């Protein structure tokens, strides 16, 4: 994790920081798309928690773009490096 990312993560709750770090790892090689229910076990959070945290993290992770991409049964999120 970069020093800038570590400093930014300090302002998040522990759950949000864990999710932000996971998103960075997944997007390290380029954009990625996911639904909360498919990553819940990976980040040890419920899909509902992930959905709420994703809304909070939109625009707050300086090195990532986080956006709602589509909705088909559940929200699909797009995460990409800036």
């Amino acid at each position: 994790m970069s020093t800038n990312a570590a400093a930014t993560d300090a302002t998040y709750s522990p759950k949000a920081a864990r999710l932000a770090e996971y998103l960075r790892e997944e997007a390290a090689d380029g954009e990625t798309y996911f639904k909360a229910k498919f990553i819940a076990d990976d980040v040890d959070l419920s899909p509902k928690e992930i959905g709420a945290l994703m809304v909070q993290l939109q625009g707050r992770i300086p090195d990532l773009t986080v956006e709602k991409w589509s909705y088909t049964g559940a929200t699909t999120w797009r995460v990409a490096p800036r």
Side-chain angles (χ1 to χ4, degrees):
M1 179 184 334
S2 70
T3 304
N4 185 25
T8 302
D9 285 352
T11 63
Y12 302 149
S13 70
K15 290 179 180 181
R18 186 167 67 232
L19 181 56
E21 182 59 25
Y22 177 85
L23 297 175
R24 281 189 193 94
E25 290 171 10
E26 291 298 306
D29 293 328
E31 67 185 12
T32 186
Y33 300 83
F34 70 90
K35 292 185 184 214
K37 64 184 176 183
F38 297 126
I39 69 163
D41 288 340
D42 294 344
V43 292
D44 195 29
L45 297 168
S46 73
K48 187 174 180 178
E49 288 175 307
I50 293 169
L53 289 170
M54 291 299 290
V55 171
Q56 292 175 16
L57 292 174
Q58 280 184 294
R60 293 189 57 210
I61 305 175
D63 52 336
L64 293 178
T65 298
V66 176
E67 60 185 335
K68 284 186 180 182
W69 193 251
S70 70
Y71 186 91
T72 305
T75 301
T76 298
W77 294 92
R78 176 184 174 269
V79 179
R82 288 190 185 195

